[in-house]
Structure formats: C-alpha cells, structure tokens
Amino acid sequence: MTTDRLMALDLLVSVLTAAAWVSAGVAATARRPRTAAALFAVALVASLARVWSVLALAGAGWWFVQEKITVVLPLLVAAGAAATALAGPRLLRAARADAASRDAVKAPAVVVPLLGAGYAAAAGIVQTFLIGYPADPGTALLLLAVAAGAVLGTWRAMSTHVPGLRTATAATAVAAVLGATLVFVPFAEETTAEGSAPGGTAAMGATGAASHAHSAAGESAPVMGGATRPVTDLRGPATPPPGGAVRRFTLTARTATVTLSSGRKVSAWTFDGQVPGPAITAVQGDLVEVRLRNADITSGVTLHWHGYDVPSGEDGVPGLTQEAVPPGGEFVYRFVAAQAGTYWYHTHEVSDLGVRMGLYGTLVVTPKGTATTGVDLTLPVHTFGGATVTGDRDQPLVRQAAPGTPVRLRLINTDNTPHRFTLAGTPYRLVAVDGTDLNAPGTLGRAGLRLAAGGRYDLAFTMPPGPAVLRIDDRTDSVRLVPSSTGDESAGASADAGAVPSAGGQTADWPELDLTRYGAPAPTPYTSRDHFDRDFTLVLDRGFALTNGRPMYAHTVNGQAFPDIPTEVVREGDLVRLTVVNRGRDTHPWHLHGHRVLVLSRDGRSVTGSPLWLDTFDVQPGEVWEVAFRAANPGLWMNHCHNLSHADLGMMLHLAYEGVTTPFHGAHSG
Ligand code: C2O
Ligand code: CU
C-alpha cells in the first residue's frame, strides 16, 4: 500500500476508534447495555487496528508517525486499557442481565472510562491535524490536560462525588499551564539539529548560525573573522563574455485589461499590457539585461528568473536580494544566459496574487550555433479569467506544419497546481525537463505527462502526416498541429479552431509517465553514496503556527512557518542533501532558487532512468524525495513550495551561504 493510502486508512481508523468509544459511552448513558457492549467490542477492535495502522505507517519513515508513536498511541492505549478493565466486566454483566438491572450500565464507572477513551482517541486526531510534525512535550501536555479535563467534567456531571476531584483537577491545571507555557512562551530560539537562526533574519542567520550548523561536523565556522559580502554585491556582469551579445529588454508592470483570443476581457496585472509578458529569448552566452519599471502595481513588483541560476543579487526576491520596485521605480537585472533551455520569469512580491493576476512571462535560451528550424512553440499554461490559457489563447492554437518538420513544444506550468499533458497523433520524446536535456529519452505514445507547478517539459517530434493534438488535463485542447502541403508552417495560423477536428480522442486513461524510470542513466557529478557536507530534512505538513507573526492554520515545514523556519546554512563548495517529506494531503511542488537539484531517490527508490536535474519537484502526499546539489552559487536564496498560496501560508524558508548578508529587512512575504 502506498504511504498516501496508509495515511488515509490511518485517519479513517482513528476517526472510527474515537467514534466507537464515544458511542459506547453514549449508549451506556442511554441504558442500552447490548448496544454499548457491541460498540465497546467495535472500539476495541478499532483501537487494535489503529495500533496496526500506525505501525504500518512507521514503515514509511519516522516522520510519518513521530507524534503518533510518542503521544497519540500511548494516550489511546492507556485510555483504552483503562476502559476495558473498568467498564468491560460491568458492561458484559449488564448486557446479560434482565431489564430491571440494566440501569447499572449507566453508572459513572462504566460511562466515564468509555467516554474517556473516546476523548483520548479524539485528542490524538487533534494532535495530528492541528499540530502535526513534530509533536513536542508542550502540545502533548496540553492535549493530555484537555482530555483529562473532559474526563473530570463528564464524571462531575454524572455524580456529585468524584473521589480525588481536587487533586485531579489541580494536576490537570498544572499540566495545562505547563503545556501552554512550553507552547506559547518562546524560549531562547532553540535551533534544530540541522537548522540555525530563523529565516527572517538571514542577514545574521548566515553568520551567527553558522557555528550551529557546523558543530555537528566537529568544526566551528570562523565566519566572524572571515569576509562577509552583501547580497547586493553579487550581481551579473555589465558586459557579455567574449562572443556574446547583449539582449536588452524593458518590462513595464502595470494594470491592464487583457483580451483573450476568444474576445473575453480579463482585468490583469501585466508586463507591458500583455499576459503573458514579453517573451525573453537569448542565445547561450548572451548577456541578458532587463530593465523593470513599475507603472502602477501598488504592492510592488520584482522579476524572479525561475529555474535560472543567476547571481543572487539578480534573483528578484523582495526583502532579501532587493526591495520590491514601487510604482515609479525601476530595477535593472543583468545575467549571462549560461544555461540553454526553457525557463520563465515572474514577480516575487505578493507572488501568489501577482502571478495569478498575470505578472509572468517566458525565458528561452537556445544553444549557440543551432539555427532553429521547424516549429518551436513556447507554451506557458495558466489559469486565467477562469479558463486554462495557453500563451494568450483561451482557444486551441492551430498551426500548420509540413509533414517531416521538426517540432518542439515547450510546456511551462505557471499555475499553483500540476497539469497533466497528453500529446496525441504522433510519437514523441520528452527531451528536456526544467530546462535540462534528458539522457536518451525514449519514444512515447499514449502517455500522461504530469508537470509540476513551476516546471517545464520540452517535447520533440517530427510532424506526422496527420494532425497532432496537445491536450491539458484531458479536457482542453491546447495546440492542434495540422499537416500543410505547402511546407510553409507559419502560413496557416488560424483562430478558426472549430474547423480542425481534434485528433485527441480519449486520453484520460493513458498511464502517467514515471520520470524516474525514463531515459538512460548517465554519470552524475555526485550520487547518494557521496559524503554530504550538509543534510537538511524538510517535513511538510499543516498545523497551527505563527505566519509572519500571525497565528494561522499554516502550511508548515518541520512544524514551523515563515519566517520562523530555520535557515539552511551552507558554505560555498558544500555538497548538500535535501530530504523532503510530505505528511499532508496536498501536493507540494518544492522549489529551490539559484540551483538545480539532482534527484537521488523518491520513496527510497533511486532514479533508474536519465539523471533528473530539477528546480521544482512535485512532492505528493506521502512521498519522500532525496535530492542533492553543490553549493556553488553564493548568496541568499528562497527555498519554498511553488504552490504560491502555500508559500503565502508559511511554506518557505531561506538557504544562506555563510558570510553573505542582506541590507534588506522586509519580512519577505513571497
Ligand atoms: Cu518561481 Cu520563488 O519562485
Ligand atoms: Cu505546497
């Protein structure tokens, strides 16, 4: 069974357990001994099933059961055992007795233990959902106190004499106060084994916390004596490397009403009045210079080069690498187009709203010396104005291409959730993922391609004699390529989509391609057998946490939300392993700025296909991903969920190189 299924099963069993104990207690109160006895039996079986489901889940990793093993199960087992010992015999006797003596089942000695077990089981569910991972003594104590208080309250309501009530109440109160103190009074910012200072203070975090991160390795970082560099010094060059050209763009952010291909109007935040913004293209080795101006986006705007390993000062993270550009302001970005491939850019200020409203565009860098022949389409897919829009079209793009023409489709998911793509009518290859070419990608036919939020896939094929159709989520035709006889592939661009029949047919049952098994292995600069200088584990979950100082039902990392999640501190040259665990019910497309990561394993199984270099990897519920990267791009970087609404609810942190500081103090809100 998959971890995801096990988590769902465990949840089901936990609810059943709590419901059965409580119902047994209620049935006893209602003088229904037979029903109560039957429910008691169900509760016992459910409790045992719960022990089994937790142990089974433990097989997926300690992260999935930590709070269950340390708090939830002990509480359930203790309360269940007490209920069995105290209420069990009386319940059975009453069930066999005649009507007259059935009142005995209503006694506190039966009802209180049964309900108590129900409260304990319910407390476990609360622990899992409100606090999640990791459980700490404070919340455990608090929960214990709440369950105990409920037991005492029930008992008191049922009888006037509760033996030892004062002592028990006092003990409960002490536990509650102690628990609350541990939870709510911030003690000296305790650092986790692998963490450091809170992310909000990356300026100092990068230096002050370094000794923590290093102490595990038995060395202390002489950062204070070493040189420090402000992130604002880590900028791109003013001139291109020899042989490169300068590619200049000016993008002006402003509000505008955008007209989609169907004629529908959507009010948007735009670059240059269009959504997506102007396509930025370059040849490998060029210097890209983009002047960003803000006309009237009142919350401010920046440009972040998603997946592109630019110098940190060009990364466009407000409050960390620059201030957001206010209306009337500007900022010039410069970087060398060193990586060829398909990328995109977007604002990083209030990015959830900003990107959704249209502040994004594409960045495509072609390798030097390769003239583009044939059809090369860059296709950012966005949910916009309630429709799935490809580029600026809410209708299928129809293109003619002569059979035999090489075709490349560059798919970019600019949404918060994954999309599923299918290509019908032609065999094809998935030649690049997140801008990086795959090794020996095989021919695909009836395959579903799940593309993570923020991710890119490049598909390549030779135009067949018949039509080829790219479809999104098995319902929206995005591109229809139709064979032309003229050989002039640009001539037939037509908005008259209805005239071309879809070649798609039914695609919903096409199996999903497993990228970790696609293509052929090739040597990589490091593998899971290497020694890692840093090892960070990120457990993703939901829970109550402070997000930018406000209590929220946040998307958490190791139980905390931005900016309280400890910064990952690295030193230039370090080989770093990142383990990302998803304990929750949502998919988290995990994204690291400034570095491509090499996937080492997913759910403990290593990649057997082409090496996978990603900047965004989709960590689905129950999954555990291990990825690695070389810390070779000094700076201060965001590390966050690219479901930007999750990032907004706390799911982001910083990766800081030792010695790099920032003059900006804005609590970066994503
Ligand atoms: Cu495309 Cu910080 O993200
Ligand atoms: Cu997420």
Side-chain angles (χ1 to χ4, degrees):
M1 207 179 316
T2 62
T3 309
D4 184 31
R5 291 255 172 92
L6 268 178
M7 289 195 299
L9 184 71
D10 181 60
L11 170 62
L12 186 76
V13 174
S14 69
V15 171
L16 202 79
T17 307
W21 283 115
V22 170
S23 324
V26 171
T29 328
R31 273 176 269 182
R32 308 280 296 270
R34 296 233 164 86
T35 316
L39 286 166
F40 167 72
V42 172
L44 264 186
V45 173
S47 302
L48 292 175
R50 183 78 210 280
V51 173
W52 171 82
S53 70
V54 169
L55 293 181
L57 197 52
W62 175 243
W63 317 287
F64 293 100
V65 292
Q66 186 260 2
E67 92 290 8
K68 296 179 171 73
I69 298 231
T70 58
V71 180
V72 176
L73 276 195
L75 199 58
L76 176 66
V77 168
T84 307
L86 295 171
R90 287 172 215 251
L91 203 52
L92 294 184
R93 242 179 284 134
R96 274 187 257 115
D98 51 33
S101 44
R102 279 185 189 171
D103 274 4
V105 80
K106 215 187 121 193
V110 176
V111 175
V112 172
L114 291 178
L115 288 179
Y119 301 154
I125 300 174
V126 170
Q127 167 80 42
T128 294
F129 276 86
L130 296 196
I131 293 109
Y133 175 93
D136 56 287
T139 54
L141 263 180
L142 209 50
L143 264 172
L144 186 67
V146 171
V151 168
L152 289 176
T154 307
W155 200 344
R156 189 66 191 77
M158 293 190 67
S159 90
T160 45
H161 177 67
V162 177
L165 179 63
R166 289 230 177 125
T167 321
T169 309
T172 303
V174 168
V177 169
L178 195 60
T181 310
L182 286 172
V183 171
F184 295 111
V185 180
F187 287 98
E189 295 282 66
E190 208 37 70
T191 58
T192 66
E194 52 210 0
S196 59
T201 55
M204 279 147 323
T207 50
S211 49
H212 287 280
H214 259 296
S215 54
E219 54 186 279
S220 67
V223 165
M224 298 320 285
T228 66
R229 274 179 297 180
V231 69
T232 44
D233 282 2
L234 301 168
R235 301 297 302 268
T239 51
V246 183
R247 311 268 308 170
R248 285 201 175 81
F249 301 83
T250 299
L251 302 187
T252 304
R254 59 183 163 91
T255 55
T257 299
V258 170
T259 308
L260 297 175
S261 62
S262 66
R264 210 150 44 90
K265 298 192 186 313
V266 183
S267 73
W269 293 0
T270 71
F271 290 115
D272 288 8
Q274 63 181 80
V275 174
I280 294 182
T281 56
V283 174
Q284 210 171 4
D286 286 350
L287 179 79
V288 177
E289 180 183 299
V290 183
R291 184 174 299 267
L292 168 68
R293 294 201 164 113
N294 183 359
D296 63 350
I297 305 294
T298 48
S299 50
V301 64
T302 67
L303 288 176
H304 166 61
W305 311 97
H306 183 110
Y308 223 71
D309 302 343
V310 300
S312 193
E314 311 285 354
D315 197 42
V317 179
L320 189 65
T321 68
Q322 66 173 102
E323 297 292 17
V325 177
E330 71 166 40
F331 191 95
V332 180
Y333 299 87
R334 281 191 198 89
F335 57 90
V336 174
Q339 300 153 268
T342 308
Y343 300 88
W344 62 300
Y345 64 85
H346 60 81
T347 185
H348 220 288
E349 176 65 17
V350 290
S351 57
D352 181 31
L353 182 64
V355 176
R356 217 174 335 122
M357 290 294 283
L359 289 173
Y360 69 93
T362 63
L363 166 66
V364 172
V365 178
T366 44
K368 214 180 180 73
T370 55
T372 33
T373 52
V375 178
D376 191 327
L377 299 175
T378 303
L379 305 166
V381 171
H382 201 66
T383 303
F384 190 55
T388 302
V389 174
T390 304
D392 60 352
R393 299 187 60 89
D394 56 346
Q395 298 165 306
L397 168 69
V398 179
R399 285 288 298 264
Q400 289 194 344
T405 309
V407 180
R408 191 179 187 102
L409 305 180
R410 302 170 184 269
L411 316 180
I412 307 175
N413 183 354
T414 61
D415 273 330
N416 275 346
T417 49
H419 283 298
R420 177 183 151 97
F421 291 87
T422 54
L423 181 61
T426 179
Y428 66 98
R429 288 174 303 130
L430 169 52
V431 293
V433 176
D434 284 5
T436 304
D437 288 349
L438 295 183
N439 182 53
T443 303
L444 296 170
R446 299 156 65 88
L449 305 180
R450 180 190 163 105
L451 181 55
R456 285 90 57 213
Y457 284 160
D458 286 23
L459 313 187
F461 57 96
T462 303
M463 184 63 199
V469 175
L470 177 74
R471 183 173 291 173
I472 306 172
D473 300 329
D474 300 308
R475 57 184 151 74
T476 312
D477 280 6
S478 167
V479 178
R480 293 181 191 153
L481 288 157
V482 294
S484 66
S485 41
T486 62
D488 177 0
E489 64 275 357
S490 65
S494 154
D496 186 14
V500 181
S502 163
Q506 190 55 255
T507 55
D509 58 352
W510 292 8
E512 188 174 304
L513 176 72
D514 181 354
L515 267 189
T516 65
R517 307 234 163 315
Y518 180 62
T524 51
Y526 32 86
T527 71
S528 48
R529 285 180 300 280
D530 273 286
H531 164 77
F532 293 93
D533 304 295
R534 313 275 176 158
D535 230 325
F536 300 108
T537 301
L538 306 177
V539 179
L540 314 180
D541 203 350
R542 292 212 75 164
F544 273 106
L546 292 179
T547 309
N548 287 315
R550 284 187 298 150
M552 296 268 207
Y553 191 49
H555 284 279
T556 56
V557 178
N558 299 338
Q560 289 176 302
F562 187 84
D564 296 328
I565 304 165
T567 292
E568 296 164 336
V569 178
V570 299
R571 181 182 282 181
E572 193 170 351
D574 279 349
L575 187 58
V576 185
R577 177 164 54 192
L578 209 55
T579 303
V580 185
V581 180
N582 186 350
R583 266 181 54 115
R585 311 291 313 154
D586 303 287
T587 288
H588 299 298
W590 202 257
H591 174 55
L592 173 64
H593 286 206
H595 307 74
R596 297 179 308 169
V597 301
L598 176 69
V599 179
L600 301 175
S601 72
R602 185 183 61 198
D603 294 341
R605 293 178 317 159
S606 25
V607 172
T608 57
S610 164
L612 270 182
W613 293 93
L614 308 177
D615 53 66
T616 317
F617 49 100
D618 224 12
V619 188
Q620 298 186 49
E623 285 187 345
V624 179
W625 288 65
E626 276 185 313
V627 304
F629 63 94
R630 178 74 66 187
N633 194 5
L636 302 174
W637 304 100
M638 294 300 297
N639 190 195
H640 65 92
C641 178
H642 218 282
N643 182 324
L644 299 173
S645 68
H646 296 177
D648 198 35
L649 276 173
M651 200 168 255
M652 55 184 170
L653 63 144
H654 292 156
L655 172 87
Y657 282 62
E658 282 177 9
V660 181
T661 61
T662 176
F664 308 110
H665 302 290
H668 167 62
S669 58

